Amino acid sequence: MKQGLEEIAKLAGVSKSTVSRVVNNQPNVNERTRQRVLEIIREVNFRPNKAARALVTQHTKVLSVVIPQPLAATFTDPYFPRLLQSISGKANQQDYAIMLWIGDNAEQEDRFTDRILNNSFFDGVLIASAVDDDPLVERLKDAGFPYVLIGPAQKGVPYNVDVDNLSASREAVRHLIALHYRRIGTITGVLNMGAAQHRLQGYREALAEAGLDADPNLILSGDYNEIQSYEAMRHLIAHGVDAVFCASDVMALGAVRAITDAGLRVGVDIGVVGFDDMPFASTLHPPLTTVRQPIADLGDRATDILMRLIEEEPVLQDHVLLPAHLIVRQSCGASVRS
């Protein structure tokens, strides 16, 4: 940093303190001198000081990725590492870096949101798994930063990339109905998040189409958590469930463990369907029937849209809805009941 300022100062014929004031966009610098310093910065492609480079190009080449979830949940749920891998890969292709923000929803409204918006060293924001009426989303609308939501569209949000959770969940429960299950329960995700709401809606719609009632005793929240899902599954077993649709594969793990601990057989006594198709799904015993969602495509498409907004390039589609597909394996009992 020191050597860089001295180099620019020598080439511009000014003092190091003058260069520092220009770099930090401070007043008390003659406009002609300011332009001379900026011209030198351009000519030498002054890389050590990123603030100077950003001042010249108006771009930091940094993307903020915000996951408004507790830290433990972010790194124990395999969804987020896979999403971050996709975002990083796409950003690296265009020489962008990412700045990761992780925070508990309980903190987000004040301190967490302020910390993000008060840090101006980024060009745009990706928000993954936002809750309804997320205060960060509301404040980004007025802050002037380009931003893209990874998840269901929210009112007033101009760009989002999501999976068709509703259709995919409906397909999963229809499959259980076609296998002649009738006491079908569900373990939901966090219900102040749009994806969890859509997966629950798909469950309800599939039951209604088949003339089956959505028994409130068979609808429990697992909050995308294996332990909570285990307890929810114990409740469902006590209420005579014969199949369960879990809104994530992590929750399906908890359900499978509860079924096994109760002395019952997955895919024989109780059918299980998950959502995500995580790598462990195919190696579970029995292998897990689940909805495969395109996590890599989610990150790739959202990052591409954000970089286009930053570079002021055309965005072909404001709201992207990606398909998800049911992968049938043994946990639903297809080979036994078909």
Side-chain angles (χ1 to χ4, degrees):
M1 175 69 177
K2 182 178 179 182
Q3 183 180 9
L5 289 179
E6 289 176 346
E7 177 189 359
I8 298 300
K10 182 178 179 180
L11 291 171
V14 298
S15 68
K16 188 176 66 175
S17 61
T18 297
V19 176
S20 179
R21 287 197 296 273
V22 171
V23 165
N24 291 288
N25 202 24
Q26 294 176 353
N28 302 323
V29 179
N30 177 277
E31 186 59 30
R32 183 174 180 180
T33 300
R34 183 186 301 277
Q35 293 304 317
R36 173 61 179 159
V37 171
L38 292 175
E39 182 181 346
I40 295 297
I41 290 173
R42 291 190 189 95
E43 288 177 357
V44 302
N45 191 22
F46 186 48
R47 299 185 65 88
N49 187 341
K50 291 188 177 181
R53 187 164 179 245
L55 186 63
V56 174
T57 65
Q58 299 300 304
H59 290 309
T60 65
K61 300 293 281 187
V62 175
L63 308 179
S64 272
V65 180
V66 181
I67 302 176
Q69 301 288 323
L71 185 66
T74 299
F75 289 106
T76 56
D77 187 338
Y79 168 85
F80 290 109
R82 295 181 74 191
L83 182 68
L84 289 171
Q85 182 180 10
S86 174
I87 292 170
S88 297
K90 187 68 174 182
N92 288 342
Q93 290 176 11
Q94 301 298 325
D95 197 30
Y96 277 83
I98 66 169
M99 179 185 299
L100 182 60
W101 301 86
I102 301 172
D104 197 327
N105 291 328
E107 302 174 354
Q108 183 180 338
E109 187 168 358
D110 297 314
R111 186 170 65 86
F112 184 55
T113 301
D114 288 341
R115 284 173 56 212
I116 295 169
L117 294 181
N118 290 338
N119 185 316
S120 59
F121 196 73
F122 56 83
D123 292 328
V125 183
L126 289 169
I127 309 176
S129 300
V131 299
D132 294 342
D133 301 319
D134 190 312
L136 176 60
V137 174
E138 292 300 316
R139 290 178 60 181
L140 278 170
K141 294 175 185 177
D142 303 320
F145 291 107
Y147 68 99
V148 178
L149 191 62
I150 301 176
Q154 295 188 15
K155 184 178 180 181
V157 175
Y159 302 96
N160 84 294
V161 180
D162 192 22
V163 169
D164 193 348
N165 293 288
L166 176 60
S167 295
S169 299
R170 191 166 50 213
E171 179 187 2
V173 179
R174 282 174 175 168
H175 178 71
L176 290 172
I177 293 169
L179 293 174
H180 309 294
Y181 292 107
R182 290 298 177 265
R183 292 281 293 171
I184 303 171
T186 186
I187 302 176
T188 76
V190 182
L191 287 177
N192 64 346
M193 296 172 61
Q197 295 167 14
H198 291 170
R199 292 173 197 181
L200 176 57
Q201 183 182 348
Y203 162 83
R204 291 183 181 276
E205 289 184 3
L207 292 182
E209 289 172 359
L212 299 174
D213 293 330
D215 184 345
N217 287 313
L218 303 187
I219 301 173
L220 281 88
S221 175
D223 284 354
Y224 297 120
N225 180 285
E226 183 180 350
I227 295 174
Q228 287 184 237
S229 179
Y230 179 92
E231 296 301 326
M233 191 66 224
R234 290 181 62 189
H235 173 95
L236 293 176
I237 292 170
H239 283 78
V241 76
D242 62 4
V244 61
F245 166 59
C246 301
S248 78
D249 285 354
V250 168
M251 292 192 297
L253 277 177
V256 166
R257 189 161 57 87
I259 293 167
T260 302
D261 286 353
L264 300 170
R265 297 165 296 173
V266 174
V268 178
D269 300 309
I270 299 178
V272 179
V273 174
F275 199 110
D276 286 326
D277 197 26
M278 291 299 174
F280 64 77
S282 62
T283 59
L284 200 63
H285 182 71
L288 182 65
T289 295
T290 185
V291 173
R292 177 179 294 164
Q293 66 163 323
I295 299 172
D297 287 348
L298 273 175
D300 187 280
R301 294 287 292 273
T303 307
D304 180 70
I305 290 173
L306 183 60
M307 292 189 299
R308 285 178 177 275
L309 292 172
I310 292 166
E311 303 291 343
E312 299 183 349
E313 297 178 356
V315 175
L316 302 180
Q317 194 173 354
D318 298 349
H319 301 286
V320 178
L321 192 63
L322 301 173
H325 304 288
L326 184 67
I327 306 299
V328 178
R329 300 189 181 102
Q330 285 91 336
S331 71
C332 64
S335 61
V336 176
R337 301 173 69 94
S338 58

